[in-house]
Amino acid sequence: MLRFSRTKIALTLGFVLLGLILAVPSMLTKQEREAYLKAVPSWVPSWLVPQRAMILGLDLQGGSHILLEVDRTDLVRGQGTQLRDDVRRTLREGNVQPEGGIQLSPRGVQVRISDAAARARVMPKLRELAQPINNAILGPTGARTLDIVEGADGLIQLNFSEAGITDRIRRAVDQSIEVVRKRIDPTGTLEPSIQRQGLDRVLVQIPGLQDASDVAKNLNPAKLEFRLLGDAGSTDTELMPSKEAGGQRVPVERRVIVSGSELTDAQPGFDQRTNEPIVNFRFTLKGAQAFAEATTQNVGRPLAIVLDNVVISAPRILQPITGGSGQISGRFTVEEVNNLSIQLRSGALPAKLVIVEQRTVGPGLGKDSIDAGVKATIYAAIFVVLYMFATYGVFGFIANIALIVHVGLIIGLMSLLEATMTLPGIAGIVLTIGTAVDSNVLIYERIREEARAGRSVVSAIQAGFDRAFATIIDSNSTMAIAALILFFMGSGPVRGFAVVFILGIMTTVITAVTMTRMMIALWYAWTRPKVIPF
Amino acid sequence: MRLPRLYPLRLWPDESHFDFMRLRHISLPFSAAISVAVIAIFLIFGLNYGVDFKGGTLIEMQPQSAEQRVPVATVRDKANSFGYGEVEVQEFGNDGGVSLRFPIQPGGEAAQGVVVEKARAEFGAGYSFERVETVGPRVSGELVQSGTIGVILAVLAVLVYLWFRFERELAIAAIIGTLHDIVLTIGFFVITRHEFNMTSIAAILTIVGYSLNETVVVFDRTRELLRRYKTMPTIELLNLSINTTMSRTAITSMTTILSLVALVWFGGRAIEGFAQVMLAGVFICTYSAIFISTPTLIYIGVRVAQRRQAQEGRGVPQPAE
């Protein structure tokens, strides 16, 4: 055992060296890292130069963590209103008059048609409203968006199916992600990370952002509606403040022709003739049809573009708009047009997003945490290194080298994986400094025991390594189980701790067993001691 | 008289024959009483849950300059006048840092944001907000759930692992020790009023790992000695297991304590609580491995395991001599 072949030595050293080199980028600041990448001569192939660094968690670099959730009730309500319009249109096309109108129910809409013949006429059409649900990977699922129940007394209930709502929420989250990005980072300078989390959530992380309340305000989706200006005094109209008329209230028809959820796009632009800033928009197919129909029937009347219950402009319909796109003008400034198009795009948000969790750390606190963490790491290392040396002498020195390599390897692996280092992660490194030497202690104590039992130096060392090995595996496995569970259960910063711990357990076997063994073998070949030196 | 040698440093003599098992007559009733007491004070006083689990808003702010520092009593009065419920106000550090903890606001997820806006309007001019955390009712509920499941799952997973690697009796004894450590750690949280949050769950899971680590080292030796000394009386065997591993236990505890002391001293306010709990955990785990888990084996019959092992003619793989 105490002979290590050259290949084995080379392999071990190579692995350790590689791990340590990988750690280099993480030890540098961003500027230093760029400088060093420039300094590398061009003939060195790029894959030889480590570039990946671990990512600092928001708790260390400062920034905001915002967890958004699709408001399910709002989504269902919105879908319900839309469904009611669809049902109304279907009935009108079938020339069927529902008794008592079309009612919104908590899970959809209901309508009463007592006349059996009329019912039989429209039922197939109503059933067509239930659309098949497709899964992105599996294709058609067989489920439909609506459960349609026909009651004995002519009551027809169109309820959203559970699968339909789930599917809608999933699509709402997908649609929201881009919208949210445009909303919170219109200039593209904040470098936010925006990801789906679970079924109905979006996690937004914005490094460096200190006040998340602006984001919260921006996230409120604008409610956009296209209606018609009505006649004052009519029961079909309501009064709304008008931006063009300086806040004066104008009558607007209650009926919504198309709502913002039917917009696919809105971009700032300029009118080709007047050079006035405008917003170009495009409808979905369904929106385009409804809009074409309404504008055809109402040429000459003023349209009302209503944003958050304010009429922002009321252009006259000069001709039927059938192309599915259009423009909004209203004496806007360039900035207003930019904001409005962003707002309109998020007006296309299919549902309200609610902030369910929000965490912000200032950059000062983050920097203090890094400094404190580094200081604690250094002191912990000094304490443990001195203590191990005092206890084991040369062997302690060997354990200390293994310990320092161990910490280096954790950082190297984290850099390679581009894992996130958090404050609890730093605590994990400090704690690891204390626990990583346990493997060495187990081996060394066993060696001493075997020597006391009368074995020769070589035989004691050999037995020490062999017998301690099973214990090292057992004790590290129990630790690893706890750490793995923490990784899967924990979130954010705590996960950083779990990552450090898991990597630490993996590398300790390499440093405390293989590397220590090699160093002791070399030391033995060099000094040929007659007794164990501790 | 011989002076103790400074090098090599020894915390525990090489040859020891201390009768650890004798102390079980004190340690087992003592720990049982403490555990019951902890559960009682836990039920009476409860944990000082942080916003992670309780929901609500935490704000930590630092005066922008010494002149803008406001007496903490004034901050408390102002915060309580917001009408957002009872606010816990605490001072920290030496530079006038103040932490405010607002309870969860009625009205669901969307109703939580107003607290920070109001606080910014009131204190934002003189103070910089170093940390703001708002956790709504849904997320806090989920965190409680995942934290609890995490701890339970960890204990079960380790139990299964030990069951496979050791005998059933050893696994059960190890888990009894671990449960004891979890209870006492929670007791530490109840008494010190340390905030209990997600990081505390990390601390508890780490303590679970450390506790088993300590126990496994002793039990590995017990298993080895069981094979070597087939006729040695249980108590003697267990004493021998502990005496022969005691030197290692002392050294590893020492290195862990040293690193945690560094963390308590230099790690900063955000991590201090975690480090203190871990430090207490190291003492609890070391104690329980020696005085709880090991003596438990006397009662649940380690010899049964040995006999069964002999009958079935199966041995746990042993490293080559």
Side-chain angles (χ1 to χ4, degrees), chain A residues 392-416:
Chain A
Y392 292 120
V394 181
F395 275 47
F397 184 74
I398 289 174
N400 288 334
I401 293 176
L403 174 66
I404 290 161
V405 170
H406 172 74
V407 174
L409 283 185
I410 294 180
I411 295 171
L413 283 175
M414 289 197 71
S415 312
L416 186 68

Side-chain angles (χ1 to χ4, degrees), chain A residues 59 67 69-70 201 210-213 216-217 354-366 368-369 371-373 375-377 379-381 383-384 387-394 423-424 426-428 430-435 437-438 441-442 445-446 448-450 452 455 466-468 470-479 481-483 485-486 489-491 494 497 501 533-534, chain B residues 6-12 14-15 51-52 60 109-110 116-117 120 129-139 142-143 146-147 149-151 153-155 157-158 161-162 165-166 198-199 201-203 205-206 208-210 212-214 216-217 220-221 223-224 228 244-245 247-252 254-256 258-263 265-268 270-271 274 278 318-321:
Chain A
D59 58 340
L67 189 60
E69 190 178 270
V70 170
R201 289 186 180 162
Q210 282 191 66
D211 188 351
S213 55
K217 279 196 203 93
V354 187
I355 297 182
V356 290
E357 185 188 17
Q358 194 259 99
R359 293 169 198 265
T360 303
V361 168
L365 181 60
D368 288 351
S369 294
D371 292 347
K375 202 169 167 191
T377 311
Y379 275 95
F383 291 166
V384 172
Y387 178 76
M388 286 297 281
F389 188 68
T391 307
Y392 292 120
V394 181
L423 184 57
I426 296 182
V430 178
L431 186 60
T432 300
I433 291 175
T435 53
V437 290
D438 183 42
V441 174
L442 279 166
E445 287 303 302
R446 195 72 205 216
R448 287 194 326 124
E449 245 181 87
E450 300 297 335
R452 274 206 309 280
R455 288 184 189 253
D466 287 345
R467 294 199 164 163
T471 312
I472 291 172
I473 293 297
D474 278 334
S475 61
N476 281 306
S477 303
T478 50
M479 281 284 218
I481 291 171
I485 285 174
L486 188 59
M489 289 286 158
S491 63
V494 169
F497 175 80
F501 232 77
F534 55 84
Chain B
L6 277 177
Y7 170 83
L9 184 61
R10 289 276 168 265
L11 298 174
W12 189 261
D14 282 348
E15 294 285 335
V51 287
D52 285 353
E60 283 177 16
E109 309 297 332
V116 179
E117 271 175 50
R120 264 189 210 280
F129 284 40
E130 287 294 320
R131 182 192 300 276
V132 176
E133 297 190 350
T134 303
V135 181
R138 205 143 43 214
V139 170
E142 286 167 10
L143 289 177
S146 67
I149 294 175
V151 173
L153 215 60
V155 172
V158 174
Y161 176 80
L162 293 175
R165 279 292 292 169
F166 292 83
M198 252 344 245
T199 318
I201 294 288
L205 283 176
T206 314
V208 168
Y210 192 83
L212 286 158
N213 186 35
E214 289 304 291
V216 160
V217 168
D220 249 8
R221 185 56 64 95
R223 188 168 62 180
E224 187 187 328
R228 203 187 301 165
T244 46
T245 52
S247 178
R248 171 265 156 200
T249 302
I251 293 170
T252 298
M254 195 62 193
T255 57
T256 311
L258 284 175
S259 65
L260 286 171
V261 164
L263 204 53
W265 278 350
F266 306 109
I271 214 67
F274 172 82
M278 281 303 304
Q318 198 181 3
E321 292 280 324

Side-chain angles (χ1 to χ4, degrees), chain A residues 4 31 113 116 128 159 169 178 181 248 311 314 369 423 499:
Chain A
F4 249 69
Q31 289 82 6
I113 306 166
E128 273 172 27
N159 290 334
I169 290 175
E178 259 324 289
R181 182 185 305 279
Q248 205 185 326
V311 178
S369 294
L423 184 57
V499 170

